[in-house]
Amino acid sequence: MRRTPLMLLAAVALVPATIWTTTASASAASGSLTVTTYDRTGAKVSTPLSLTNIATNTDYTATSGKAKSLPKGTYTVVAAITTRRDSSDTVGARVLKVGSGKTTTTIDARAGKALKMSLDKPPAGQNQELRARICGGDTFSSQVEVYNSPGKIFVIPNKSKHLRSAFAASWSGQGSESWIVTSSSTTVPSSLTKSFKRSSLANLTAWARNGPSAGLETSIMLQAGGDQCRTDLSFGIYQENTPFTFKTHVSPGSWLVRADTWGRLNNGESTTLGFQWAQRTFTAGKSYTQTFFRSAWGPAYNVPRVSGGHLSFDTTSMFVDPSFGSQYYPQSEASEKSLVTLSLKGKVLKKQSRTDWGSIDTAWFEKKITKKGWYLLTVSAQRYRPGLKYPSGLLSDRTGVWFSFYADPKKNKTASVLLPRMNPAGLDIWNRAKPGSSTTVDIKLQGKAIPKSVTAKASFDGGKTWKSVPVKKSGSAWKATVKNPGSGVVALKTQTQDKGGNKTEVTIYRAYRIG
């Protein structure tokens, strides 16, 4: 496997000083602030500044060495200072009042202390990187962040209650295992030497499967959550062609585990395709797993709706990983086109091709209706992106769904349908079942209607013929059992009916492999 450098996002850090002077009349409504910044050699340098008025939570930007006009008030000023001689970075922050005249202050990187973060058992052969962030203002909207190697990051302490800070270290570079530790404070502390025990970390093992994603390469990133200054500290931890497995040992707390995919265009250029986000909370000493790109991708989230006499449907979620069921933390590859047909009593009212590529507006189907009755909405979708070279053997390359439901143009209402989502269990990292084995397909029903029946079918010839398979209820879900052939791919179909008579049928072609 090929190990790539960490994809770390460098931000600019902001550091205010406590030395300030004010002149001119105190009755004026505004004044000016000039900040002079020095690097670790004592040389004056020009540095971006981020300022926040604490009373109004208004943010400003400025440049050191230049006067900035500001309303009177108390401000946080934060800055990151780079010293070119040793390629080091210094962050710091202070709080000061701006009066009606001229206020001046200095931020001196020579006041910074070295940030040191360590593990009780350092990983052998791994590269360590540090990062430091300071957040200013009571909403902590002014943020600056730097990353660098050990001995190259310095922090100016400050005890102000209007500041927050967050620090992190990562060890990676060899193989598919990494370590990430974080620390945060309600001030900018004077103690910048932090030690961690491996036993205090959570352990995450994750898999990026091959098959349903159109991407050829996937990168994995962890984004921290929790307190306002730690949130979104990002760590690129692995990048490779699928399938692959990786392990990460991380500080406890809230984390967003993110997979981003890239594909290749016909002209040879690479392009971003999509992402998957999993919101996780980790506990010290506990072990967790996470799987990306699980089969089979099919329709999710969206169902027909009537509003203002118009019946509509959003086609953007025709290919969704069954493991990612939340619209708040979704998965997406903006690459599909659909044919949508709306009928009433066998008469076609509208047929329209839709695509979510290029503009979200082109994915929206809408038709004005004038009669109440039982409508049939049919959607046939396929993976589509102009100029994209799809990988051979792409799984979930086509899906379909139809909804039979009662609608009244005078009533604004989401259709009372159940939307089944199919998740084949027991597949390997290539989304394969063993030849001749039986696969359990979990069927979860999205919607609040009371189900009356759930049936399922499987096809082993690309959808030319279908064979009914047994379905049993298990708790709040349903389980279908598919007896697999000796080779090939399997297509799946499931139909639901609720007690109100509404029906839904979902079809996923090339749902999983046999091999």
Side-chain angles (χ1 to χ4, degrees), residues 315 336-338 353-357 359-363 384:
T315 66
E336 71 83 31
K337 65 178 179 180
S338 302
S353 294
R354 302 278 75 195
T355 177
D356 71 354
W357 172 248
S359 171
I360 203 71
D361 293 335
T362 61
Y384 166 78

Side-chain angles (χ1 to χ4, degrees), residues 406-482:
Y406 188 84
D408 185 340
K410 295 182 180 180
K411 295 182 179 180
N412 295 341
K413 183 180 179 182
T414 299
S416 300
V417 293
L418 294 169
L419 180 58
R421 302 186 63 189
M422 294 180 282
N423 186 355
L427 305 182
D428 67 10
I429 200 168
W430 292 88
N431 280 304
R432 297 177 302 193
K434 292 182 179 180
S437 65
S438 292
T439 294
T440 298
V441 180
D442 295 328
I443 304 174
K444 293 185 177 180
L445 306 182
Q446 174 190 317
K448 297 180 179 180
I450 300 174
K452 180 180 179 181
S453 65
V454 177
T455 61
K457 295 180 180 180
S459 175
F460 311 112
D461 57 8
K464 294 178 182 179
T465 60
W466 293 90
K467 180 180 179 181
S468 294
V469 298
V471 178
K472 293 183 179 180
K473 188 175 182 182
S474 177
S476 60
W478 302 72
K479 294 182 181 293
T481 302
V482 179

Side-chain angles (χ1 to χ4, degrees), residues 495-506:
Q495 185 179 119
T496 66
Q497 181 175 353
D498 63 35
K499 291 188 176 181
N502 304 287
K503 296 180 181 179
T504 306
E505 184 176 274
V506 169

Side-chain angles (χ1 to χ4, degrees), residues 108 123 242 317 415 420:
D108 195 333
T242 59
S317 297

Side-chain angles (χ1 to χ4, degrees), residues 195-245:
S195 300
F196 299 83
K197 294 182 178 180
R198 285 200 183 189
S199 59
S200 69
L201 306 182
N203 308 296
L204 173 66
T205 301
W207 295 268
R209 291 186 181 180
N210 178 274
S213 171
L216 298 178
E217 191 171 67
T218 297
S219 68
I220 306 296
M221 177 179 288
L222 263 64
Q223 294 178 213
D227 65 69
Q228 289 170 298
C229 199
R230 179 179 179 268
T231 295
D232 292 336
L233 276 172
S234 301
F235 304 86
I237 58 176
Y238 199 70
Q239 183 167 320
E240 183 58 271
N241 298 334
T242 59
F244 60 80
T245 302

Side-chain angles (χ1 to χ4, degrees), residues 103-439:
T103 302
T104 62
T105 189
T106 61
I107 303 173
D108 195 333
R110 291 171 292 182
K113 293 185 176 181
L115 174 64
K116 298 178 181 180
M117 303 182 75
S118 62
L119 283 172
D120 58 344
K121 298 178 182 178
Q126 303 283 14
N127 299 318
Q128 184 186 11
E129 292 197 5
L130 299 174
R131 66 176 55 215
R133 174 188 287 178
I134 292 181
C135 307
D138 288 346
T139 59
F140 315 112
S141 55
S142 295
Q143 294 186 0
V144 293
E145 179 183 331
V146 295
Y147 70 91
N148 213 322
S149 55
K152 298 292 185 178
I153 286 187
F154 300 86
V155 181
I156 302 174
N158 192 300
K159 295 182 180 180
S160 173
K161 65 179 181 180
H162 299 296
L163 302 171
R164 296 287 188 273
S165 58
F167 310 102
S170 62
W171 290 262
S172 61
Q174 299 295 323
S176 56
E177 191 169 13
S178 60
W179 289 258
I180 299 170
V181 295
T182 63
S183 173
S184 59
S185 176
T186 55
T187 62
V188 184
S190 57
S191 176
L192 293 165
T193 298
K194 304 178 185 301
S195 300
F196 299 83
K197 294 182 178 180
R198 285 200 183 189
S199 59
S200 69
L201 306 182
N203 308 296
L204 173 66
T205 301
W207 295 268
R209 291 186 181 180
N210 178 274
S213 171
L216 298 178
E217 191 171 67
T218 297
S219 68
I220 306 296
M221 177 179 288
L222 263 64
Q223 294 178 213
D227 65 69
Q228 289 170 298
C229 199
R230 179 179 179 268
T231 295
D232 292 336
L233 276 172
S234 301
F235 304 86
I237 58 176
Y238 199 70
Q239 183 167 320
E240 183 58 271
N241 298 334
T242 59
F244 60 80
T245 302
F246 65 93
K247 293 183 179 180
T248 307
H249 312 276
V250 300
S251 290
S254 175
W255 289 89
L256 189 69
V257 188
R258 175 169 178 161
D260 291 84
T261 56
W262 281 266
R264 192 167 305 282
L265 299 177
N266 291 330
N267 61 8
E269 296 180 359
S270 62
T271 181
T272 301
L273 288 183
F275 58 87
Q276 290 190 327
W277 294 351
Q279 186 69 51
R280 304 296 300 269
T281 300
F282 299 136
T283 301
K286 300 293 184 180
S287 296
Y288 303 85
T289 60
Q290 178 65 49
T291 300
F292 293 102
F293 313 129
R294 189 192 300 270
S295 282
W297 289 13
Y301 315 144
N302 301 325
V303 298
R305 175 172 174 76
V306 174
S307 179
H310 289 77
L311 192 150
S312 62
F313 181 77
D314 181 359
T315 66
T316 56
S317 297
M318 291 298 293
F319 295 93
V320 178
D321 187 318
S323 299
F324 292 79
S326 169
Q327 288 177 289
Y328 298 100
Y329 295 100
Q331 73 88 33
S332 174
E333 283 191 6
S335 311
E336 71 83 31
K337 65 178 179 180
S338 302
L339 178 63
V340 187
T341 305
L342 178 66
S343 304
L344 177 63
K345 295 181 179 179
K347 180 181 179 181
V348 175
L349 303 180
K350 185 176 182 179
K351 180 182 289 188
Q352 187 178 29
S353 294
R354 302 278 75 195
T355 177
D356 71 354
W357 172 248
S359 171
I360 203 71
D361 293 335
T362 61
W364 188 258
F365 175 88
E366 186 174 304
K367 170 62 177 170
K368 183 177 181 180
I369 59 175
T370 59
K371 297 179 181 180
K372 57 186 178 181
W374 285 89
Y375 286 82
L376 180 66
L377 182 77
T378 302
V379 186
S380 177
Q382 67 182 66
R383 308 290 279 277
Y384 166 78
R385 179 161 177 173
L388 178 66
K389 184 179 181 179
Y390 281 91
S392 60
L394 177 69
L395 296 179
S396 300
D397 60 337
R398 292 185 295 142
T399 65
V401 61
W402 58 256
F403 304 94
S404 175
F405 59 98
Y406 188 84
D408 185 340
K410 295 182 180 180
K411 295 182 179 180
N412 295 341
K413 183 180 179 182
T414 299
S416 300
V417 293
L418 294 169
L419 180 58
R421 302 186 63 189
M422 294 180 282
N423 186 355
L427 305 182
D428 67 10
I429 200 168
W430 292 88
N431 280 304
R432 297 177 302 193
K434 292 182 179 180
S437 65
S438 292
T439 294

